[in-house]
Amino acid sequence: LETRSGYDFLSGIGVNLHIPANTEDLAIRLLAETGFKTFRIEIGWGEMNWDETALNNEERCRRKLALCAQYGIRPTLLINAHQGAPCPVRFFKRRLVADAPKGATTVRLDSVRDLVVGKSGLSGLSDYWAAEALVTSVDTTRRQITLSKPLPKDLKAGEISLATLKYSPLYPVGTPEFEETAAGWVRHALHLCRLAEAAGTKDFDLEIWNELTFGSHFLNINDYYDPRNPKAPGPQP
């Protein structure tokens, strides 16, 4: 539970480990023989499956951690929630049945089945961003949805990308929405710790989030709303 100084990382030699599948044995052995003692391995919350029972690539991750233990490597496990796939998420396609101009706050779809208010939304409107404009209401008769903010560009009729997040972007601390999302985040962190221990990696570090200049919209519910979400009227803590 000790927080290590950033100096420990800056003064040491490490590698952000991204290697092709099925080459871990060779790569990790050679790195260890070369003198590397630390790997930094990113395992975002979006890697967790929808049921939160396992990572989408759990066996490969387990193998990588087991190799770290075998060769005396101390891994730093980076946990974040990049807005492109911030948490357990379901991606899917629907069809826009009519053009929607920039600034529109409603769109009509070929189907509104299984959309979840506050967690489903249109993706990739301005960036790599899942459910960038959230659904705030659904008119099942007209198959029309209301969005949490105006469209940033014109959309032509045709196929569009949507996503349903299992957890809401972060509301202010103390709200029920925050508590639900934070509990899911903690479950993910504990899952990674148990996975590392089960792989024989007894010595490891956790890095909680690493970047605020990009990919960090999930940290603030009001980045998904314009005007601001009525449940989060003030500045986000």
Side-chain angles (χ1 to χ4, degrees):
L1 298 179
E2 179 183 354
T3 300
R4 298 181 66 189
S5 168
Y7 179 81
D8 293 342
F9 297 98
L10 293 174
S11 62
I13 296 177
V15 57
N16 195 353
L17 190 64
H18 290 291
I19 52 180
N22 302 318
T23 64
E24 284 93 347
D25 296 60
L26 175 61
I28 292 176
R29 178 177 65 80
L30 291 175
L31 287 167
E33 291 175 355
T34 306
F36 281 89
K37 298 297 183 184
T38 300
F39 292 164
R40 182 171 178 270
I41 304 172
E42 181 176 357
I43 310 174
W45 194 10
E47 289 294 325
M48 181 64 72
N49 66 20
W50 184 264
D51 295 329
E52 300 178 87
T53 56
L55 301 175
N56 294 319
N57 60 347
E58 181 141 331
E59 286 308 311
R60 186 183 179 196
C61 183
R62 186 191 303 273
R63 176 62 178 162
K64 194 181 296 183
L65 292 170
L67 288 167
C68 287
Q70 179 180 341
Y71 291 107
I73 301 295
R74 182 182 180 120
T76 294
L77 305 181
L78 165 60
I79 310 175
N80 64 15
H82 189 287
Q83 67 202 29
C87 63
V89 58
R90 287 174 170 159
F91 295 101
F92 55 98
K93 302 285 188 180
R94 295 286 162 87
R95 294 191 64 81
L96 200 65
V97 299
D99 292 350
K102 178 181 178 179
T105 55
T106 60
V107 297
R108 294 181 60 204
L109 304 175
D110 62 334
S111 171
V112 294
R113 178 174 50 87
D114 298 329
L115 296 182
V116 180
V117 170
K119 293 179 180 177
S120 299
L122 306 188
S123 298
L125 298 173
S126 65
D127 198 355
Y128 174 50
W129 188 350
E132 177 177 350
L134 295 168
V135 175
T136 58
S137 67
V138 178
D139 183 335
T140 56
T141 302
R142 300 188 63 199
R143 291 176 296 178
Q144 178 173 285
I145 58 174
T146 302
L147 302 174
S148 58
K149 60 182 177 182
L151 292 176
K153 62 180 181 181
D154 296 336
L155 294 181
K156 296 295 184 182
E159 189 176 77
I160 58 172
S161 298
L162 294 91
T164 296
L165 308 174
K166 185 158 189 180
Y167 294 97
S168 298
L170 282 176
Y171 280 72
V173 174
T175 60
E177 293 84 359
F178 174 88
E179 296 301 330
E180 180 185 43
T181 300
W185 170 271
V186 169
R187 281 193 293 274
H188 176 63
L190 290 175
H191 183 86
L192 296 188
C193 292
R194 291 168 183 145
L195 184 64
E197 290 183 346
T201 308
K202 301 303 182 183
D203 295 317
F204 60 91
D205 299 288
L206 292 181
E207 181 180 355
I208 308 299
W209 211 274
N210 71 314
E211 183 60 70
L212 297 177
T213 61
F214 74 95
S216 59
H217 288 304
F218 191 74
L219 291 176
N220 188 347
I221 184 60
N222 280 315
D223 285 0
Y224 294 74
Y225 279 80
D226 183 13
R228 300 172 71 87
N229 184 288
K231 294 184 179 180
Q236 184 79 346

